[in-house]
Amino acid sequence: MARMCVLGGGLVGRFIAITLHERGHFVRVVDAEPLDDMPDEIEVIESRIEANNLVNFVSGFEVTINCLPGRIGHSIRAHLVSIDDMLIADLAFTAEDPRGLDKLAKEHGSTLVYDVGIAPGLSNAILKSAECSMGTLDSGRIWVGGNPQQPDDEWSYMAPFSPSDVIEEYTRPARIRRDGQNLTEPALSERHMISVPGYGSMEAFLTDGVRSLLDTIDSHELLEYTVRWPGHIDRYLAGMNSEDDLIEAWKFDSKRPEFTWLSVEIKKGQKVERWDVIDEGLGGWSSMARTTGLVTVEVAEMLSDGAIADSGVMPPEYLGQNSELLQRLVQTMRQQGVQIQTHSNQ
């Protein structure tokens, strides 16, 4: 078993740390806030994480898992890949492209796989696998969202990861591809209703989730939409709340039932293939922590056991280039109770 250091002990980071511990790894967690509910066997360090103290935290660990909020998470990437032979599963959601660190990583024999969540993450691997088997795609569309199972009279939402990252998602321009051309559209545009299995009609809108797919997938169209209950985005666009207000209003309530839905639709000629991933939480864990965290955990283990052996910086599409890696990921998620269904008209 490996020694793994988890940077960030929020909802997702905590799930990752405890799951890795349950799988027999030695785990250290570093977070600026007290983490009183960790198993005694997990080493917990309470500290802010900065470039000047990073090496002290990860030294002697084979794998580092970056679960820090995007702005902080990106600031330490260059320092991580500069550590010889370091293996990194990176979950920090950032506007910056980590592939700019590829040369530096290879010089040090380190490996960083980024965007290792559900979307981006699993969605990227699914699309890359489809492109490998079908060739140039006509269209790849993604819908994803983590939401309460029932709407309310206010936001009908609670943030399962850093609320500041949600705000960034709502404000960052969305990079897409349409008619073979890479374009940028305003975030929250192209609003439309979508039927979510088991939950009915919800609202979808463009966000900046396509990201690395614009460079790695040969497809005439690439779009990603975030899904929320109707009324949520109208309330946000009214602009009556500060960032601090939103962070407080979107505070996660572990007692409120919630769910995560990912749908990936792939078109090639007359063929339409669709993946639906649904989770409603289990064992006290939120669905977003589970679906995101299980991908991260599996990538961390792929790094530690040599299933991912290349050095450098790579997006999650790497998992879709190798059918065995994608099958391993999907099998693990299904074994943990995540519902994953595939449909095809041919």
Side-chain angles (χ1 to χ4, degrees):
M1 294 291 102
R3 292 171 58 84
M4 301 198 180
C5 183
V6 180
L7 303 178
L11 287 172
V12 180
R14 181 173 175 271
F15 172 84
I16 290 167
I18 292 178
T19 303
L20 288 170
H21 163 67
E22 290 173 345
R23 294 190 181 188
H25 302 287
F26 177 81
V27 179
R28 169 185 287 176
V29 182
V30 186
D31 195 276
E33 301 295 329
L35 301 175
D36 300 326
D37 52 356
M38 286 287 185
D40 292 339
E41 297 84 359
I42 294 179
E43 181 185 9
V44 177
I45 297 177
E46 183 181 337
S47 174
R48 293 183 63 86
I49 301 167
E50 299 172 345
N52 60 3
N53 63 13
L54 177 65
V55 173
N56 296 332
F57 297 138
V58 303
S59 180
F61 286 78
E62 292 97 325
V63 180
T64 297
I65 298 97
N66 184 5
C67 297
L68 296 170
R71 300 164 197 171
I72 305 171
H74 179 70
S75 70
I76 64 167
R77 282 172 171 154
H79 303 282
L80 281 174
V81 300
S82 297
I83 300 171
D84 290 345
D85 303 317
M86 178 56 72
L87 306 173
I88 306 132
D90 191 299
L91 193 55
F93 184 73
T94 67
E96 297 87 356
D97 190 335
R99 287 174 294 182
L101 301 171
D102 183 64
K103 181 180 178 182
L104 180 63
K106 288 177 177 175
E107 288 173 352
H108 290 274
S110 61
T111 303
L112 185 148
V113 187
Y114 67 96
D115 280 353
V116 287
I118 181 170
L122 177 60
S123 56
N124 301 53
I126 289 170
L127 281 167
K128 187 61 180 178
S129 178
E131 185 219 37
C132 287
S133 62
M134 299 182 194
T136 301
L137 305 176
D138 292 334
S139 176
R141 296 188 180 190
I142 302 163
W143 291 266
V144 65
N147 295 284
Q149 293 185 16
Q150 297 293 331
D152 55 43
D153 294 330
E154 297 185 2
W155 287 98
S156 301
Y157 180 67
M158 50 188 185
F161 48 86
S162 170
S164 60
D165 283 354
V166 179
I167 295 168
E168 181 115 349
E169 180 182 3
Y170 287 3
T171 55
R172 185 188 306 163
R175 292 162 287 183
I176 66 170
R177 181 179 300 152
R178 179 168 281 126
D179 297 326
Q181 299 295 315
N182 291 348
L183 307 170
T184 300
E185 296 288 352
L188 313 184
S189 58
E190 298 193 16
R191 294 166 62 182
H192 62 276
M193 304 308 291
I194 184 80
S195 179
V196 179
Y199 290 92
S201 185
M202 297 184 73
E203 187 174 23
F205 46 87
L206 277 179
T207 47
D208 189 42
V210 173
R211 299 158 64 80
S212 59
L213 292 168
L214 294 173
D215 303 324
T216 62
I217 300 292
D218 193 1
S219 177
H220 296 293
E221 180 180 70
L222 290 168
L223 305 166
E224 179 168 310
Y225 301 97
T226 293
V227 178
R228 297 284 183 258
W229 285 108
H232 173 86
I233 287 301
D234 284 334
R235 190 181 183 100
Y236 176 81
L237 291 173
M240 302 297 291
N241 297 271
S242 68
E243 180 169 336
D244 288 341
D245 291 337
L246 294 176
I247 289 173
E248 179 63 28
W250 295 347
K251 187 176 295 183
F252 192 82
D253 180 359
S254 61
K255 297 180 180 179
R256 185 176 184 182
E258 44 76 62
F259 76 104
T260 294
W261 175 60
L262 165 69
S263 185
V264 182
E265 181 188 80
I266 302 149
K267 293 183 179 181
K268 168 76 173 186
Q270 297 300 310
K271 182 174 183 178
V272 180
E273 182 176 297
R274 190 170 186 127
W275 290 62
D276 278 298
V277 180
I278 297 180
D279 190 71
E280 296 177 337
L282 191 66
W285 295 110
S286 77
S287 63
M288 187 59 77
R290 278 168 41 81
T291 52
T292 301
L294 285 170
V295 176
T296 310
V297 164
E298 201 61 34
V299 170
E301 292 201 323
M302 289 174 182
L303 288 165
S304 69
D305 65 24
I308 297 175
D310 296 332
S311 63
V313 177
M314 55 199 72
E317 290 89 309
Y318 184 91
L319 305 174
Q321 294 174 347
N322 184 326
S323 61
E324 292 182 2
L325 295 183
L326 180 56
Q327 289 171 9
R328 171 176 165 176
L329 177 57
V330 169
Q331 182 179 13
T332 295
M333 296 182 75
R334 282 174 168 158
Q335 288 173 344
Q336 296 301 314
V338 179
Q339 303 173 53
I340 301 179
Q341 299 180 340
T342 59
H343 315 270
S344 178
N345 66 346
Q346 292 184 13

